[in-house]
């Protein structure tokens, strides 16, 4: 792209390879961007709330995913438009920072884009719309803090944390076990939390699972679960006071670095070679045994000769353990990952209270559990389900609940869900707009209408009359000054979300508003889109 001037001195742009590029300018570019963002938001709109619908996604390989998690849906969707990709990144940023609200942030951004489109049709400049939306967002932040309640996360056996986690699980496939799973999530987070610093390292919580059982068999293990079994069936299935040698070197003789050829032309030479190989194995096993280790965890495999010598030396072993699991074991047990047998020493061994093999199901499936780890309080939530789709969706749901509990450990303030906080913010923005003159007032009112449309989506997905329901709730909030009144999606007979225990972390709601507003502001600033249609 270059700049040139005509005979009157007026500038114009010369685009390189003009024939292979398409270009949208001005209002056409804004309209196209808004349409692309709305198409993504409308896809997720029906998944919002406890009665939201699930989506079935099929990959090019034929793998099926059934979920209503916004980040997962957008991640697996095949989108080509640039703005659609930005909406995907919007959901991902919410997931990376907060871990929850990935559907709501995209639906809110879509509602804001729809209101922006109406204002553009009325001749309002995009910059004024963006300024009005930002002013409205600044009104929402203090309003959310004003209506937030601070919960005692330690009271009644951490019941407040459990109730908030249950709200997250209420819209998932696993909602029939929401109480049990919420309690597991709270117990897991508290096990690894640093309550003095009010911080949680979620890397210490491992989510693992296997198809072939019932969801009710999901359990919290106070330790690490490895989806392996001991390398020999006659090895002991339980090791008390384990001293663990963590190896990334295989039990095998050293191999020359260059191409080699070995000719054996007599029985004696073969026996000598066999004896040399056995001597290598004996030296390796002796190095491990002399260090005081009574359990070997190896990243690589080993042949039958090494396996027999390990059994003969009464040294249980686990092979083919993945690199990520090996690092987690090293962190939890306080051990060092050892790359060579010559470097094995007692100071590099990890320790655990008990290492045992668990079997389940009717197909003799086994896993190994490391409990009582010395260096950290790592835990594992082991998920079971009838098939892989149920297991994967349960893991995604549990991850969202873990993030919500972590957020409450960091900031114990909550707002009430069911659209209650959106309606309260909508009323605050509409009131603030009355005191603003000029075009900005229209943009702020559009922001308030967008917040109402989120509550309408909740009502619509619950099978209610959206306009009548939201209007009635707004009137009730104004009349009673009760910001906890929301949409009764579950049909319990009350609109009081505090009674229904429908809660959301304040941090999650604030980030939804900020991320959605920033995304819409960025899209309204784009008035020139140049894209390559085909390679030159």
């Amino acid at each position: 792209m270059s700049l040139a001037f005509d005979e009157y001195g007026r500038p114009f742009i010369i685009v390189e390879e003009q024939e292979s590029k398409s270009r949208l300018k001005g209002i056409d570019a804004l309209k196209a961007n808004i349409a692309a963002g709305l198409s993504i938001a409308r896809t997720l709109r029906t998944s919002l709330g406890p009665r939201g619908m699930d989506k079935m996604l099929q990959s090019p390989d034929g793998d099926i995913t059934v979920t209503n998690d916004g980040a997962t849906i957008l991640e697996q969707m095949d989108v080509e438009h640039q703005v659609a990709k930005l909406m995907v990144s919007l959901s991902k940023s919410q997931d990376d920072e907060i871990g929850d609200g990935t559907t709501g942030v995209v639906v809110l951004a879509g509602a804001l884009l729809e209101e922006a489109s109406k204002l553009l049709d009325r001749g309002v400049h995009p910059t004024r719309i963006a300024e009005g939306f930002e002013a409205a967002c600044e009104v929402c932040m203090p309003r959310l803090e004003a209506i937030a309640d601070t919960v005692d996360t330690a009271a009644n056996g951490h019941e407040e944390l459990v109730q908030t986690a249950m709200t997250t699980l209420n819209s998932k496939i696993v909602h029939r076990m929401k109480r049990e799973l919420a309690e597991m999530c709270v117990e897991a987070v508290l096990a690894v939390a640093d309550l003095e610093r009010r911080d949680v390292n979620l890397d210490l919580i491992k989510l693992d699972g296997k198809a072939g059982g019932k969801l009710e068999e999901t359990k919290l293990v106070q330790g690490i679960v490895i989806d392996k079994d001991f390398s020999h069936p006659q090895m002991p299935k339980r090791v008390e006071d384990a001293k663990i040698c963590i190896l990334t070197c295989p039990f095998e003789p050293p191999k020359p670095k260059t191409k080699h050829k070995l000719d054996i032309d007599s029985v004696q030479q073969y026996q000598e070679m066999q004896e040399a190989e056995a001597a290598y194995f004996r030296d390796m096993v002796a190095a491990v045994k002399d260090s005081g280790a009574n359990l070997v965890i190896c990243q690589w495999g080993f042949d039958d000769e090494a396996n027999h010598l390990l059994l003969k030396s009464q040294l249980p072993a686990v092979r083919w353990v993945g690199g990520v699991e090996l690092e987690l074991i090293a962190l939890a047990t306080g051990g060092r990952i050892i790359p060579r047998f010559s470097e094995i020493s007692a100071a590099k061994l990890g320790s655990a209270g008990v290492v045992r093999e668990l079997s389940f199901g009717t197909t003799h499936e086994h896993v190994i559990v490391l409990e009582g780890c010395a260096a950290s309080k790592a835990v594992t939530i082991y998920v079971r389900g009838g098939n892989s789709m149920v297991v994967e969706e349960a893991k995604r749901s549990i991850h969202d609940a873990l993030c919500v509990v972590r957020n409450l450990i960091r900031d114990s303030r909550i707002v009430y869900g069911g659209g209650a906080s959106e309606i309260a913010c909508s009323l605050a923005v509409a009131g603030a707009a009355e005191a603003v003159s000029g075009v900005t007032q229209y943009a702020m009112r559009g922001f308030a209408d967008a917040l109402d449309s989120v509550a309408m989506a909740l009502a619509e997905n619950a099978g209610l009359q959206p306009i009548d329901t939201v209007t009635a709730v707004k009137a009730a909030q104004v009349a009673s000054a009760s910001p906890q009144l929301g949409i009764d999606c579950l049909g319990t007979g009350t609109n009081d979300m505090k009674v229904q225990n429908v809660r959301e972390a304040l941090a999650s709601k604030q980030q939804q508003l900020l991320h959605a507003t920033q995304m819409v502001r960025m899209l309204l600033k784009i008035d020139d889109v140049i894209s390559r249609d085909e390679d030159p």
Side-chain angles (χ1 to χ4, degrees):
M1 184 186 302
S2 60
L3 186 66
F5 298 89
D6 61 11
E7 62 271 20
Y8 299 105
R10 294 175 300 191
F12 62 92
I13 295 174
I14 300 175
V15 181
E16 296 179 5
E17 300 170 356
Q18 180 71 53
E19 70 280 356
S20 64
K21 294 182 179 179
S22 62
R23 183 176 183 184
L24 286 174
K25 295 178 63 178
I27 195 70
D28 292 333
L30 288 169
K31 288 288 188 181
N33 292 341
I34 289 174
L38 281 175
S39 66
I40 296 294
R42 285 166 180 163
T43 301
L44 292 190
R45 183 182 173 94
T46 55
S47 294
L48 187 67
R51 297 292 179 87
M53 307 296 284
D54 297 330
K55 302 288 184 287
M56 178 181 287
L57 307 168
Q58 182 176 359
S59 71
D61 297 332
D63 296 333
I64 301 297
T65 302
V66 178
T67 182
N68 71 347
D69 181 65
T72 305
I73 294 170
L74 293 181
E75 182 182 354
Q76 298 197 18
M77 284 177 64
D78 186 15
V79 293
E80 296 294 336
H81 197 279
Q82 303 91 333
V83 173
K85 292 179 180 178
L86 289 176
M87 297 294 280
V88 174
S89 67
L90 170 65
S91 179
K92 188 176 186 304
S93 64
Q94 178 77 13
D95 190 41
D96 292 341
E97 189 167 347
I98 299 296
D100 189 36
T102 54
T103 304
V105 69
V106 176
V107 172
L108 177 58
L112 290 174
L113 287 174
E114 192 169 1
E115 294 299 325
S117 178
K118 296 177 183 177
L119 292 170
L120 288 172
D121 291 337
R122 297 170 64 180
V124 182
H125 194 274
T127 301
R128 303 303 300 273
I129 299 174
E131 291 174 353
F133 283 177
E134 288 184 340
C137 185
E138 291 175 0
V139 173
C140 290
M141 292 298 121
R143 179 57 178 163
L144 283 174
E145 293 182 355
I147 65 175
D149 285 346
T150 301
V151 298
D152 186 353
T153 56
N156 300 323
H158 308 287
E159 181 64 23
E160 305 286 351
L161 293 176
V162 174
Q163 292 290 345
T164 310
M166 285 171 62
T167 302
T168 305
L169 297 170
N170 210 33
S171 61
K172 313 292 185 181
I173 287 178
V174 298
H175 70 278
R176 61 188 176 88
M177 275 195 66
K178 60 182 180 180
R179 177 80 194 187
E180 294 83 354
L181 293 178
E183 290 175 350
M184 284 185 201
C185 293
V186 171
E187 187 177 350
V189 170
L190 292 176
V192 302
D194 186 346
L195 297 179
E196 292 183 0
R197 294 174 51 218
R198 299 182 70 88
D199 193 19
V200 179
N201 183 6
L202 287 183
D203 291 336
L204 294 176
I205 302 176
K206 183 184 175 187
L207 265 177
D208 203 353
K210 202 166 191 178
K214 297 184 295 183
L215 191 61
E216 286 78 6
E217 295 174 7
T218 300
K219 63 174 63 177
L220 174 66
V221 179
Q222 298 293 336
I224 301 173
V225 175
I226 310 172
D227 191 12
K228 303 289 179 183
D229 51 9
F230 286 106
S231 60
H232 198 287
Q234 294 181 12
M235 287 179 177
K237 308 302 181 187
R238 183 183 182 93
V239 180
E240 302 278 353
D241 191 20
K243 302 297 180 185
I244 305 170
C245 183
I246 307 170
L247 298 175
T248 56
C249 46
F251 275 89
E252 61 182 23
K255 296 178 180 178
K257 298 297 183 183
T258 60
K259 292 182 179 180
H260 60 281
K261 181 180 180 183
L262 181 63
D263 294 325
I264 298 175
D265 52 13
S266 68
V267 175
Q268 182 180 358
Q269 290 179 349
Y270 182 81
Q271 289 176 345
E272 290 175 355
M273 183 196 69
Q274 191 178 30
E275 179 60 31
E277 187 179 69
Y280 277 121
F281 285 138
R282 285 195 294 269
D283 292 343
M284 293 173 182
V285 174
V288 176
K289 196 74 175 175
D290 293 343
S291 68
N294 56 5
L295 176 65
V296 177
I297 296 180
C298 185
Q299 186 177 12
W300 305 104
F302 35 83
D303 60 15
D304 293 339
E305 180 71 20
N307 207 13
H308 171 72
L309 288 174
L310 288 168
L311 174 65
K312 190 175 179 180
S313 302
Q314 298 181 353
L315 196 58
V318 185
R319 55 186 170 183
W320 298 119
V321 179
V324 176
E325 293 175 323
L326 217 63
E327 293 178 3
L328 184 60
I329 292 170
L331 287 172
T333 61
R336 299 280 298 277
I337 296 177
I338 304 172
R340 298 180 184 88
F341 284 94
S342 59
E343 299 180 10
I344 297 176
S345 65
K348 296 181 179 181
L349 301 181
S351 59
V354 180
V355 178
R356 56 194 178 100
E357 187 178 271
L358 291 179
S359 61
F360 50 83
T362 58
T363 56
H364 305 290
E365 295 176 337
H366 303 95
V367 294
I368 291 176
V369 181
L370 287 76
E371 297 176 326
C373 298
S376 72
K377 301 169 286 187
V379 298
T380 302
I381 299 178
Y382 198 74
V383 183
R384 302 301 311 279
N387 54 51
S388 59
M389 286 187 292
V390 173
V391 172
E392 292 303 317
E393 179 64 5
K395 288 165 69 174
R396 285 188 287 267
S397 304
I398 291 171
H399 175 265
D400 288 352
L402 290 172
C403 291
V404 167
V405 178
R406 177 201 60 184
N407 294 336
L408 283 181
I409 295 293
R410 292 176 173 176
D411 185 351
S412 58
R413 292 177 296 174
I414 62 165
V415 292
Y416 294 98
S421 57
E422 283 87 354
I423 293 173
C425 289
S426 173
L427 292 171
V429 171
E434 299 296 332
V436 177
S437 60
V439 179
T440 305
Q441 180 182 131
Y442 292 101
M444 294 182 69
R445 287 177 176 172
F447 194 99
D449 292 341
L451 291 171
D452 286 342
S453 70
V454 175
M456 287 186 183
L458 285 172
E460 187 176 349
N461 292 341
L464 305 173
Q465 292 293 333
I467 296 178
D468 295 344
T469 304
V470 173
T471 303
V473 172
K474 287 185 72 173
Q477 276 206 20
V478 172
S480 61
S482 301
Q484 69 267 25
L485 297 181
I487 309 299
D488 183 18
C489 298
L490 299 177
T492 60
T494 176
N495 292 105
D496 194 333
M497 298 295 108
K498 189 172 185 178
V499 175
Q500 289 195 33
N501 285 320
V502 179
R503 308 156 180 232
E504 296 180 68
L506 173 64
S508 175
K509 188 61 66 178
Q510 287 179 325
Q511 287 300 325
Q512 283 186 47
L513 286 170
L514 286 172
H515 285 157
T517 305
Q518 290 169 0
M519 174 62 69
V520 173
R521 180 185 184 279
M522 182 173 65
L523 294 182
L524 290 174
K525 292 290 186 178
I526 300 173
D527 70 339
D528 201 344
V529 179
I530 302 173
S531 59
R532 183 181 297 276
D533 292 334
E534 59 184 14
D535 292 333

